[in-house]
Amino acid sequence: MKNNILLIFILVTFFSSCKKNDIEFCDRYVEGEVIIGTKEDVKFEDALLLINMNFLDIISCFGPLYESSFPADSLEYVISVLKSKPYMNKNGWAGGAYLHYQTNKIICINQMMDLDIASQQDWHRTVQQLKLCQKDNVTSFLLNVKNGKEKRWVRYFKSNFIIKWAELNCYIDFGPL
C-alpha cells in the first residue's frame, strides 16, 4: 500500500511539474497568423519597429491607450479626427475617445486594421495633432506570417524582451450550445 501511494505521489509530482508547451497548445489554428502582446511599458512605435524590421503585415492592432492634453470640451473634435482614419474604421470598429470619469481627461483606445507603413505614418502625425501621450497598456497585434512558419514566429516573439506573450491564432471549439 505504501509503495502504491509513493508511486502515485511520484507520478502526480512528475506530471504536474511538466510545463505544457503552449506553442504546441492547439492542433487547429489559422494558418499564416500569430497574435502577440507587448509589455505594458512598451511604446507603440517600438512595437511597430520590431514588426516592420521583420517585414510582417499587421492585420489588426488593439490597445494602444492614449491620453490627450486637449481640454475636455475638445472631445468631439478628437472623435471626429479618429473617425476620419480609414484604418480605424473597418469591420464594424470606429475610432473613438471618451472622458475619464475621475480625471476628466480625453482617453483614446483604438482598434486599427491593415496598419501598413502609410497608416503608421499617418497615426504618428495624428498623435502629434491630437497631443496624445501613450499610457502604459498591453497592445496586441494580429500579424500575417508565412504559412507553415507560425510556430517559428511565436518562438521568436516569445524570446523578445518587449513582448509579453505570443500565441498561435487557435480555433476554439465550444461544442454544442
Side-chain angles (χ1 to χ4, degrees):
M1 178 71 172
K2 283 185 176 181
N3 288 341
N4 288 343
I5 292 174
L6 181 60
L7 179 60
I8 291 171
F9 176 77
I10 291 171
L11 289 173
V12 167
T13 303
F14 173 77
F15 286 113
S16 65
S17 66
C18 290
K19 184 178 179 190
K20 187 172 185 176
N21 184 349
D22 55 354
I23 294 172
E24 310 292 334
F25 177 71
C26 59
D27 294 326
R28 297 178 343 119
Y29 54 90
V30 180
E31 291 184 10
E33 294 182 3
V34 297
I35 307 169
I36 64 170
T38 64
K39 292 181 179 173
E40 290 83 354
D41 60 346
V42 171
K43 296 298 177 204
F44 188 57
E45 295 79 16
D46 294 336
L48 292 176
L49 181 62
L50 175 65
I51 294 165
N52 291 337
M53 72 180 213
N54 285 289
F55 305 101
L56 298 175
D57 294 327
I58 301 171
I59 299 168
S60 68
C61 166
F62 183 79
L65 179 68
Y66 292 89
E67 181 179 281
S68 176
S69 61
F70 280 2
D73 63 359
S74 301
L75 179 63
E76 290 304 317
Y77 169 71
V78 170
I79 291 171
S80 69
V81 170
L82 296 175
K83 286 189 174 187
S84 74
K85 305 300 176 186
Y87 52 88
M88 295 183 119
N89 296 284
K90 290 184 175 185
N91 302 333
W93 292 95
Y98 65 92
L99 289 179
H100 190 277
Y101 76 99
Q102 290 177 320
T103 64
N104 210 33
K105 296 277 189 179
I106 298 174
I107 305 295
C108 304
I109 187 165
N110 306 296
Q111 167 108 6
M112 301 181 207
M113 309 293 260
D114 302 319
L115 203 57
D116 59 15
I117 298 296
S119 299
Q120 293 172 31
Q121 292 169 344
D122 181 72
W123 177 247
H124 180 72
R125 289 188 297 272
T126 303
V127 166
Q128 293 173 341
Q129 175 188 357
L130 298 177
K131 297 182 180 175
L132 300 177
C133 176
Q134 185 176 344
K135 307 305 276 179
D136 286 353
N137 188 48
V138 172
T139 300
S140 61
F141 294 88
L142 175 60
L143 303 175
N144 186 7
V145 300
K146 187 174 180 182
N147 285 3
K149 301 292 184 186
E150 299 87 355
K151 292 176 185 177
R152 177 192 157 300
W153 281 109
V154 168
R155 283 186 204 93
Y156 168 78
F157 282 117
K158 281 186 175 232
S159 70
N160 191 286
F161 71 97
I162 72 168
I163 301 300
K164 184 172 188 167
W165 52 266
E167 302 290 337
L168 298 172
N169 190 8
C170 298
Y171 290 110
I172 299 173
D173 293 321
F174 288 104
L177 296 176

Short mmCIF file of all heavy atoms in Angstrom, two decimals, residues 6-51:
data_model
loop_
_atom_site.label_atom_id
_atom_site.label_comp_id
_atom_site.label_asym_id
_atom_site.label_seq_id
_atom_site.Cartn_x
_atom_site.Cartn_y
_atom_site.Cartn_z
N LEU A 6 3.35 5.96 -2.71
CA LEU A 6 4.58 6.61 -3.13
C LEU A 6 4.63 6.74 -4.65
O LEU A 6 5.00 7.78 -5.19
CB LEU A 6 5.79 5.82 -2.61
CG LEU A 6 7.16 6.40 -2.97
CD1 LEU A 6 7.32 7.80 -2.40
CD2 LEU A 6 8.26 5.48 -2.46
N LEU A 7 4.24 5.69 -5.37
CA LEU A 7 4.22 5.71 -6.82
C LEU A 7 3.24 6.77 -7.34
O LEU A 7 3.58 7.54 -8.24
CB LEU A 7 3.85 4.33 -7.38
CG LEU A 7 3.78 4.22 -8.90
CD1 LEU A 7 5.14 4.56 -9.52
CD2 LEU A 7 3.35 2.84 -9.31
N ILE A 8 2.06 6.85 -6.74
CA ILE A 8 1.08 7.86 -7.14
C ILE A 8 1.64 9.25 -6.89
O ILE A 8 1.54 10.15 -7.73
CB ILE A 8 -0.26 7.64 -6.40
CG1 ILE A 8 -0.92 6.35 -6.92
CG2 ILE A 8 -1.19 8.84 -6.58
CD1 ILE A 8 -2.13 5.92 -6.14
N PHE A 9 2.25 9.45 -5.74
CA PHE A 9 2.84 10.75 -5.40
C PHE A 9 3.91 11.15 -6.41
O PHE A 9 3.95 12.27 -6.90
CB PHE A 9 3.43 10.72 -3.99
CG PHE A 9 4.13 11.99 -3.62
CD1 PHE A 9 3.41 13.12 -3.27
CD2 PHE A 9 5.52 12.07 -3.63
CE1 PHE A 9 4.05 14.30 -2.93
CE2 PHE A 9 6.16 13.23 -3.30
CZ PHE A 9 5.43 14.35 -2.95
N ILE A 10 4.77 10.21 -6.77
CA ILE A 10 5.84 10.50 -7.74
C ILE A 10 5.25 10.83 -9.10
O ILE A 10 5.67 11.79 -9.75
CB ILE A 10 6.83 9.31 -7.83
CG1 ILE A 10 7.62 9.19 -6.52
CG2 ILE A 10 7.76 9.45 -9.02
CD1 ILE A 10 8.46 7.94 -6.40
N LEU A 11 4.27 10.06 -9.55
CA LEU A 11 3.65 10.31 -10.85
C LEU A 11 2.93 11.66 -10.88
O LEU A 11 3.05 12.42 -11.85
CB LEU A 11 2.68 9.19 -11.22
CG LEU A 11 3.33 7.86 -11.58
CD1 LEU A 11 2.27 6.78 -11.77
CD2 LEU A 11 4.19 8.00 -12.83
N VAL A 12 2.19 11.97 -9.82
CA VAL A 12 1.48 13.26 -9.75
C VAL A 12 2.48 14.40 -9.76
O VAL A 12 2.32 15.40 -10.47
CB VAL A 12 0.56 13.33 -8.52
CG1 VAL A 12 0.07 14.74 -8.27
CG2 VAL A 12 -0.61 12.37 -8.68
N THR A 13 3.55 14.27 -8.99
CA THR A 13 4.58 15.32 -8.95
C THR A 13 5.23 15.48 -10.31
O THR A 13 5.42 16.60 -10.79
CB THR A 13 5.66 14.97 -7.89
OG1 THR A 13 5.03 14.81 -6.63
CG2 THR A 13 6.71 16.06 -7.81
N PHE A 14 5.54 14.37 -10.96
CA PHE A 14 6.18 14.43 -12.28
C PHE A 14 5.29 15.12 -13.30
O PHE A 14 5.69 16.04 -13.99
CB PHE A 14 6.55 13.02 -12.75
CG PHE A 14 7.07 12.99 -14.16
CD1 PHE A 14 8.37 13.39 -14.45
CD2 PHE A 14 6.25 12.59 -15.20
CE1 PHE A 14 8.85 13.37 -15.75
CE2 PHE A 14 6.72 12.56 -16.50
CZ PHE A 14 8.02 12.95 -16.78
N PHE A 15 4.03 14.68 -13.40
CA PHE A 15 3.15 15.24 -14.41
C PHE A 15 2.73 16.66 -14.10
O PHE A 15 2.52 17.46 -14.99
CB PHE A 15 1.92 14.33 -14.63
CG PHE A 15 2.27 13.09 -15.39
CD1 PHE A 15 2.21 11.85 -14.78
CD2 PHE A 15 2.69 13.16 -16.71
CE1 PHE A 15 2.55 10.71 -15.48
CE2 PHE A 15 3.04 12.01 -17.42
CZ PHE A 15 2.95 10.79 -16.80
N SER A 16 2.61 17.03 -12.85
CA SER A 16 2.23 18.39 -12.52
C SER A 16 3.38 19.36 -12.71
O SER A 16 3.18 20.55 -12.89
CB SER A 16 1.71 18.49 -11.09
OG SER A 16 2.74 18.18 -10.18
N SER A 17 4.61 18.87 -12.70
CA SER A 17 5.75 19.76 -12.90
C SER A 17 6.12 19.90 -14.36
O SER A 17 6.93 20.75 -14.71
CB SER A 17 6.97 19.25 -12.12
OG SER A 17 7.41 18.02 -12.66
N CYS A 18 5.54 19.09 -15.22
CA CYS A 18 5.81 19.21 -16.65
C CYS A 18 5.12 20.46 -17.18
O CYS A 18 3.92 20.62 -17.01
CB CYS A 18 5.28 17.99 -17.42
SG CYS A 18 6.20 16.50 -17.07
N LYS A 19 5.89 21.32 -17.80
CA LYS A 19 5.32 22.54 -18.36
C LYS A 19 4.75 22.22 -19.73
O LYS A 19 5.42 21.67 -20.57
CB LYS A 19 6.39 23.62 -18.47
CG LYS A 19 5.84 24.93 -18.95
CD LYS A 19 6.92 25.98 -19.01
CE LYS A 19 6.29 27.27 -19.53
NZ LYS A 19 7.29 28.25 -19.83
N LYS A 20 3.51 22.60 -19.90
CA LYS A 20 2.87 22.40 -21.19
C LYS A 20 3.50 23.35 -22.20
O LYS A 20 3.68 24.52 -21.93
CB LYS A 20 1.37 22.66 -21.08
CG LYS A 20 0.61 22.30 -22.32
CD LYS A 20 -0.86 22.40 -22.07
CE LYS A 20 -1.62 21.91 -23.28
NZ LYS A 20 -3.03 21.91 -23.07
N ASN A 21 3.82 22.85 -23.37
CA ASN A 21 4.41 23.68 -24.42
C ASN A 21 3.28 24.45 -25.10
O ASN A 21 2.59 23.93 -25.94
CB ASN A 21 5.15 22.79 -25.42
CG ASN A 21 5.86 23.59 -26.47
OD1 ASN A 21 5.66 24.79 -26.59
ND2 ASN A 21 6.70 22.93 -27.23
N ASP A 22 3.10 25.70 -24.70
CA ASP A 22 1.95 26.44 -25.19
C ASP A 22 2.07 26.81 -26.67
O ASP A 22 1.11 27.22 -27.27
CB ASP A 22 1.65 27.68 -24.35
CG ASP A 22 2.84 28.59 -24.21
OD1 ASP A 22 3.94 28.24 -24.68
OD2 ASP A 22 2.67 29.67 -23.65
N ILE A 23 3.24 26.67 -27.25
CA ILE A 23 3.37 26.89 -28.68
C ILE A 23 2.64 25.77 -29.42
O ILE A 23 2.04 25.99 -30.45
CB ILE A 23 4.85 26.96 -29.10
CG1 ILE A 23 5.49 28.20 -28.47
CG2 ILE A 23 5.00 26.99 -30.61
CD1 ILE A 23 6.99 28.28 -28.64
N GLU A 24 2.68 24.60 -28.87
CA GLU A 24 2.02 23.45 -29.48
C GLU A 24 0.60 23.27 -28.93
O GLU A 24 0.00 22.25 -29.12
CB GLU A 24 2.83 22.18 -29.19
CG GLU A 24 4.31 22.29 -29.52
CD GLU A 24 4.60 22.40 -31.00
OE1 GLU A 24 3.78 21.93 -31.80
OE2 GLU A 24 5.63 22.98 -31.33
N PHE A 25 0.10 24.28 -28.21
CA PHE A 25 -1.16 24.18 -27.48
C PHE A 25 -2.32 23.69 -28.33
O PHE A 25 -3.09 22.85 -27.93
CB PHE A 25 -1.51 25.52 -26.85
CG PHE A 25 -2.81 25.53 -26.13
CD1 PHE A 25 -2.98 24.87 -24.93
CD2 PHE A 25 -3.90 26.20 -26.67
CE1 PHE A 25 -4.18 24.88 -24.28
CE2 PHE A 25 -5.11 26.22 -26.02
CZ PHE A 25 -5.25 25.56 -24.82
N CYS A 26 -2.45 24.23 -29.51
CA CYS A 26 -3.63 23.85 -30.30
C CYS A 26 -3.20 23.12 -31.58
O CYS A 26 -2.15 23.40 -32.13
CB CYS A 26 -4.46 25.08 -30.64
SG CYS A 26 -3.60 26.34 -31.57
N ASP A 27 -4.03 22.20 -31.97
CA ASP A 27 -3.78 21.47 -33.21
C ASP A 27 -4.33 22.24 -34.41
O ASP A 27 -3.83 22.12 -35.51
CB ASP A 27 -4.43 20.09 -33.16
CG ASP A 27 -3.79 19.20 -32.12
OD1 ASP A 27 -2.57 19.32 -31.91
OD2 ASP A 27 -4.51 18.40 -31.50
N ARG A 28 -5.38 23.01 -34.15
CA ARG A 28 -6.03 23.74 -35.24
C ARG A 28 -5.87 25.24 -35.00
O ARG A 28 -6.28 25.75 -33.97
CB ARG A 28 -7.50 23.38 -35.33
CG ARG A 28 -7.74 21.92 -35.66
CD ARG A 28 -9.21 21.51 -35.70
NE ARG A 28 -10.12 22.42 -35.07
CZ ARG A 28 -11.12 23.06 -35.70
NH1 ARG A 28 -11.34 22.87 -36.97
NH2 ARG A 28 -11.93 23.87 -35.05
N TYR A 29 -5.24 25.89 -35.95
CA TYR A 29 -5.05 27.33 -35.84
C TYR A 29 -5.11 27.94 -37.23
O TYR A 29 -5.02 27.24 -38.25
CB TYR A 29 -3.72 27.67 -35.16
CG TYR A 29 -2.50 27.04 -35.79
CD1 TYR A 29 -1.80 27.69 -36.80
CD2 TYR A 29 -2.05 25.79 -35.37
CE1 TYR A 29 -0.69 27.10 -37.39
CE2 TYR A 29 -0.94 25.21 -35.96
CZ TYR A 29 -0.27 25.88 -36.97
OH TYR A 29 0.84 25.30 -37.55
N VAL A 30 -5.28 29.24 -37.27
CA VAL A 30 -5.36 29.95 -38.54
C VAL A 30 -3.97 29.99 -39.15
O VAL A 30 -3.04 30.52 -38.55
CB VAL A 30 -5.91 31.38 -38.34
CG1 VAL A 30 -6.00 32.11 -39.68
CG2 VAL A 30 -7.26 31.36 -37.64
N GLU A 31 -3.84 29.40 -40.31
CA GLU A 31 -2.55 29.41 -40.99
C GLU A 31 -2.20 30.83 -41.42
O GLU A 31 -3.05 31.59 -41.87
CB GLU A 31 -2.58 28.49 -42.20
CG GLU A 31 -2.66 27.02 -41.83
CD GLU A 31 -2.60 26.10 -43.04
OE1 GLU A 31 -2.29 26.58 -44.15
OE2 GLU A 31 -2.86 24.91 -42.87
N GLY A 32 -0.94 31.19 -41.23
CA GLY A 32 -0.47 32.49 -41.65
C GLY A 32 -0.73 33.61 -40.66
O GLY A 32 -0.55 34.78 -41.00
N GLU A 33 -1.13 33.27 -39.41
CA GLU A 33 -1.41 34.30 -38.43
C GLU A 33 -0.81 33.95 -37.07
O GLU A 33 -0.83 32.78 -36.67
CB GLU A 33 -2.91 34.51 -38.24
CG GLU A 33 -3.60 35.07 -39.46
CD GLU A 33 -5.07 35.33 -39.24
OE1 GLU A 33 -5.59 35.14 -38.12
OE2 GLU A 33 -5.74 35.73 -40.22
N VAL A 34 -0.27 34.95 -36.38
CA VAL A 34 0.12 34.84 -34.98
C VAL A 34 -0.38 36.08 -34.25
O VAL A 34 -0.62 37.13 -34.87
CB VAL A 34 1.65 34.68 -34.78
CG1 VAL A 34 2.17 33.41 -35.40
CG2 VAL A 34 2.41 35.88 -35.29
N ILE A 35 -0.54 35.96 -32.95
CA ILE A 35 -1.00 37.06 -32.11
C ILE A 35 0.07 37.33 -31.07
O ILE A 35 0.58 36.40 -30.44
CB ILE A 35 -2.32 36.69 -31.41
CG1 ILE A 35 -3.36 36.21 -32.42
CG2 ILE A 35 -2.86 37.88 -30.62
CD1 ILE A 35 -4.59 35.59 -31.79
N ILE A 36 0.41 38.60 -30.90
CA ILE A 36 1.40 38.98 -29.89
C ILE A 36 0.86 40.11 -29.04
O ILE A 36 -0.03 40.85 -29.46
CB ILE A 36 2.75 39.39 -30.52
CG1 ILE A 36 2.60 40.65 -31.39
CG2 ILE A 36 3.35 38.24 -31.32
CD1 ILE A 36 3.92 41.25 -31.85
N GLY A 37 1.39 40.22 -27.83
CA GLY A 37 1.06 41.32 -26.95
C GLY A 37 2.34 41.91 -26.37
O GLY A 37 3.24 41.17 -25.95
N THR A 38 2.42 43.22 -26.36
CA THR A 38 3.61 43.88 -25.83
C THR A 38 3.53 43.98 -24.31
O THR A 38 2.45 43.90 -23.73
CB THR A 38 3.75 45.31 -26.39
OG1 THR A 38 2.64 46.10 -25.94
CG2 THR A 38 3.82 45.31 -27.90
N LYS A 39 4.66 44.20 -23.69
CA LYS A 39 4.67 44.52 -22.26
C LYS A 39 4.04 45.91 -22.09
O LYS A 39 4.02 46.72 -23.02
CB LYS A 39 6.09 44.48 -21.72
CG LYS A 39 6.65 43.07 -21.72
CD LYS A 39 8.04 43.02 -21.15
CE LYS A 39 8.54 41.56 -21.16
NZ LYS A 39 9.95 41.46 -20.78
N GLU A 40 3.53 46.15 -20.89
CA GLU A 40 2.75 47.36 -20.63
C GLU A 40 3.51 48.65 -20.90
O GLU A 40 2.93 49.64 -21.34
CB GLU A 40 2.24 47.37 -19.18
CG GLU A 40 1.16 46.37 -18.88
CD GLU A 40 1.69 44.97 -18.56
OE1 GLU A 40 2.92 44.73 -18.68
OE2 GLU A 40 0.87 44.11 -18.20
N ASP A 41 4.81 48.68 -20.64
CA ASP A 41 5.57 49.93 -20.77
C ASP A 41 6.23 50.12 -22.14
O ASP A 41 7.00 51.05 -22.33
CB ASP A 41 6.63 50.01 -19.68
CG ASP A 41 7.64 48.86 -19.74
OD1 ASP A 41 7.39 47.87 -20.46
OD2 ASP A 41 8.68 48.96 -19.07
N VAL A 42 5.89 49.28 -23.09
CA VAL A 42 6.49 49.37 -24.43
C VAL A 42 5.74 50.42 -25.25
O VAL A 42 4.51 50.41 -25.34
CB VAL A 42 6.46 48.00 -25.14
CG1 VAL A 42 6.87 48.12 -26.59
CG2 VAL A 42 7.34 47.02 -24.39
N LYS A 43 6.49 51.30 -25.85
CA LYS A 43 5.91 52.33 -26.71
C LYS A 43 5.44 51.69 -28.02
O LYS A 43 6.07 50.78 -28.56
CB LYS A 43 6.91 53.44 -27.00
CG LYS A 43 7.31 54.21 -25.75
CD LYS A 43 6.11 54.89 -25.15
CE LYS A 43 6.41 55.61 -23.87
NZ LYS A 43 5.24 55.78 -23.04
N PHE A 44 4.33 52.20 -28.51
CA PHE A 44 3.73 51.70 -29.73
C PHE A 44 4.73 51.73 -30.89
O PHE A 44 4.83 50.78 -31.66
CB PHE A 44 2.48 52.54 -30.05
CG PHE A 44 1.66 52.01 -31.19
CD1 PHE A 44 1.14 50.73 -31.17
CD2 PHE A 44 1.38 52.82 -32.27
CE1 PHE A 44 0.36 50.25 -32.20
CE2 PHE A 44 0.59 52.35 -33.31
CZ PHE A 44 0.09 51.07 -33.28
N GLU A 45 5.50 52.80 -30.99
CA GLU A 45 6.49 52.94 -32.06
C GLU A 45 7.55 51.85 -32.00
O GLU A 45 8.03 51.38 -33.02
CB GLU A 45 7.16 54.32 -32.00
CG GLU A 45 6.22 55.48 -32.27
CD GLU A 45 5.36 55.86 -31.06
OE1 GLU A 45 5.67 55.45 -29.91
OE2 GLU A 45 4.36 56.54 -31.26
N ASP A 46 7.93 51.43 -30.78
CA ASP A 46 8.92 50.37 -30.64
C ASP A 46 8.36 49.03 -31.10
O ASP A 46 9.06 48.23 -31.73
CB ASP A 46 9.41 50.27 -29.19
CG ASP A 46 10.19 51.50 -28.76
OD1 ASP A 46 10.74 52.20 -29.63
OD2 ASP A 46 10.23 51.77 -27.55
N ALA A 47 7.09 48.78 -30.80
CA ALA A 47 6.46 47.55 -31.28
C ALA A 47 6.37 47.56 -32.81
O ALA A 47 6.65 46.54 -33.46
CB ALA A 47 5.07 47.40 -30.66
N LEU A 48 6.00 48.70 -33.37
CA LEU A 48 5.93 48.80 -34.83
C LEU A 48 7.29 48.57 -35.46
O LEU A 48 7.41 47.90 -36.49
CB LEU A 48 5.38 50.17 -35.25
CG LEU A 48 3.92 50.45 -34.91
CD1 LEU A 48 3.55 51.87 -35.30
CD2 LEU A 48 2.99 49.43 -35.54
N LEU A 49 8.34 49.10 -34.84
CA LEU A 49 9.70 48.91 -35.35
C LEU A 49 10.06 47.43 -35.40
O LEU A 49 10.59 46.94 -36.40
CB LEU A 49 10.69 49.68 -34.49
CG LEU A 49 12.15 49.61 -34.92
CD1 LEU A 49 12.36 50.21 -36.30
CD2 LEU A 49 13.03 50.32 -33.90
N LEU A 50 9.76 46.71 -34.33
CA LEU A 50 10.04 45.27 -34.29
C LEU A 50 9.29 44.53 -35.40
O LEU A 50 9.86 43.69 -36.10
CB LEU A 50 9.66 44.69 -32.92
CG LEU A 50 9.78 43.18 -32.77
CD1 LEU A 50 11.23 42.74 -32.90
CD2 LEU A 50 9.19 42.72 -31.45
N ILE A 51 8.03 44.85 -35.57
CA ILE A 51 7.22 44.19 -36.60
C ILE A 51 7.71 44.56 -37.99
O ILE A 51 7.88 43.69 -38.86
CB ILE A 51 5.73 44.56 -36.41
CG1 ILE A 51 5.22 43.97 -35.08
CG2 ILE A 51 4.89 44.09 -37.59
CD1 ILE A 51 3.91 44.55 -34.61
#
